[in-house]
Amino acid sequence: CRPNDGADLLKRTNVWILASGDDGAITEGSKTMLKVLTAKNISVKMDLLDTDGHAVWLKQYNNKNFYNWLLSQ
């Protein structure tokens, strides 16, 4: 799937991208998707954490801002 293909499916969805700075291709793909979504005026935010690799999403369970954001959508 190319980033533009996925972006078109998200045009009515608010997106929060969470990535780790040390997750290789996943990190780069997340940055690319951020650029594509922003260019298409899709509501997107991104948190890029320093480390934690592919398990970075586990930190979101303790992030009250995430739940507040999720429930406000």
Side-chain angles (χ1 to χ4, degrees):
C1 179
R2 296 173 306 208
N4 280 319
D5 296 340
D8 291 335
L9 297 173
L10 297 171
K11 60 185 167 188
R12 291 186 182 91
T13 304
N14 296 320
V15 178
W16 186 339
I17 299 170
L18 178 67
S20 176
D22 64 353
D23 201 9
I26 301 298
T27 303
E28 294 310 310
S30 296
K31 290 177 182 178
T32 298
M33 197 63 178
L34 175 68
K35 290 177 186 174
V36 169
L37 294 173
T38 301
K40 291 181 174 273
N41 294 317
I42 294 171
S43 176
V44 60
K45 64 185 286 178
M46 180 174 179
D47 284 349
L48 185 61
L49 304 178
D50 291 336
T51 59
D52 288 325
H54 201 64
V56 70
W57 59 272
L58 292 170
K59 286 190 172 181
Q60 286 301 83
Y61 289 127
N62 294 321
N63 183 349
K64 289 181 183 180
N65 291 328
F66 171 71
Y67 292 105
N68 290 335
W69 174 85
L70 185 64
L71 293 173
S72 71
Q73 304 309 305

